[in-house]
């Protein structure tokens, strides 16, 4: 396999671009991400997670990007930064996770999960909120 850089999220027609934030739910003892995806926490450190969902035959997917701690002698945040500073990137393994849907991760693992999508044509422009409203869907 040829190494490649993990790029920002992309779909066929990038009409909306955005950011996401999430936090683990430690107050009610949410499920451990490593257990949910089946990855050994002592061997691997998850550095990225990717959710995909859409219409058609594909019914959602979860991918994780993790560094092999032993192979790269990573036992601290400082060591991660050192590798990134020297190499310009972190060497990770891409794992396709089977048997779990994207919403299961957010429901089981994260206390809070927020996605913000912006129209691609104005993604680099600040939006100033000057009014508020409500939409009621039945």
């Amino acid at each position: 396999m040829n190494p490649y850089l993990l790029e920002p999220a992309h779909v066929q027609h990038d009409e909306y671009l955005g950011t996401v934030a999430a936090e683990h739910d430690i107050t009610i003892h949410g499920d451990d991400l490593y257990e949910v995806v089946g990855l050994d926490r002592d061997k691997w450190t998850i550095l990225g997670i990717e959710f995909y969902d859409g219409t058609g035959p594909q019914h959602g997917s979860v991918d994780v990007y993790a560094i092999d701690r032993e192979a790269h002698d990573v036992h601290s945040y400082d060591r991660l930064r050192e590798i990134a500073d020297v190499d310009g990137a972190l060497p990770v393994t891409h794992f396709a996770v089977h048997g779990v849907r994207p919403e299961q991760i957010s429901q089981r693992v994260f206390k809070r999960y927020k996605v913000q999508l912006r129209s691609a044509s104005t993604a680099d422009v600040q939006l100033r909120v000057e009014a508020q409203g409500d939409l009621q869907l039945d």
Side-chain angles (χ1 to χ4, degrees), residues 32-35 37-46 66-69 95:
D32 180 67
L33 176 60
Y34 289 80
E35 290 177 16
V37 300
L39 204 55
D40 181 354
R41 180 187 289 274
D42 293 331
K43 179 171 174 46
W44 299 94
T45 296
I46 296 174
I67 189 167
D68 184 330
R69 295 172 64 177
F95 292 95

Side-chain angles (χ1 to χ4, degrees), residues 53-64:
D53 209 350
T55 59
Q58 175 111 8
H59 297 297
S61 63
V62 176
D63 298 88
V64 295

Side-chain angles (χ1 to χ4, degrees), residues 3 8 11 20 27 34 39 43 46 52 54-55 61 64 66-67 77 85 93 95 108 118 134 136-137:
V11 292
V20 64
T27 59
Y34 289 80
L39 204 55
K43 179 171 174 46
I46 296 174
Y52 175 82
T55 59
S61 63
V64 295
I67 189 167
Y77 173 77
D85 290 344
T93 299
F95 292 95
R108 292 174 58 186
R118 303 262 311 269
D134 290 306
Q136 182 63 45
L137 304 178

Side-chain angles (χ1 to χ4, degrees), residues 6-136:
L6 182 62
E7 298 291 332
H10 168 72
V11 292
Q12 186 176 3
H13 301 287
D14 291 336
E15 294 177 56
Y16 292 90
L17 303 172
T19 61
V20 64
E23 67 180 295
H24 288 284
D25 192 348
I26 60 173
T27 59
I28 62 168
H29 308 288
D31 293 340
D32 180 67
L33 176 60
Y34 289 80
E35 290 177 16
V36 172
V37 300
L39 204 55
D40 181 354
R41 180 187 289 274
D42 293 331
K43 179 171 174 46
W44 299 94
T45 296
I46 296 174
L47 298 178
I49 186 165
E50 189 171 69
F51 302 133
Y52 175 82
D53 209 350
T55 59
Q58 175 111 8
H59 297 297
S61 63
V62 176
D63 298 88
V64 295
Y65 299 87
I67 189 167
D68 184 330
R69 295 172 64 177
E70 189 175 308
H72 299 287
D73 191 32
V74 174
H75 300 286
S76 69
Y77 173 77
D78 290 337
R79 176 65 178 139
L80 273 177
R81 295 301 318 170
E82 179 184 324
I83 294 169
D85 290 344
V86 171
D87 295 343
L90 291 170
V92 297
T93 299
H94 171 198
F95 292 95
V97 182
H98 304 279
V100 66
R101 293 187 37 82
E103 66 272 11
Q104 290 176 299
I105 300 290
S106 62
Q107 292 169 352
R108 292 174 58 186
V109 175
F110 299 130
K111 179 178 183 177
R112 294 180 185 93
Y113 177 76
K114 183 175 185 174
V115 176
Q116 183 185 91
L117 298 174
R118 303 262 311 269
S119 168
S121 62
T122 61
D124 62 340
V125 177
Q126 291 281 23
L127 301 181
R128 182 177 50 248
V129 180
E130 296 185 348
Q132 293 183 327
D134 290 306
L135 299 173
Q136 182 63 45

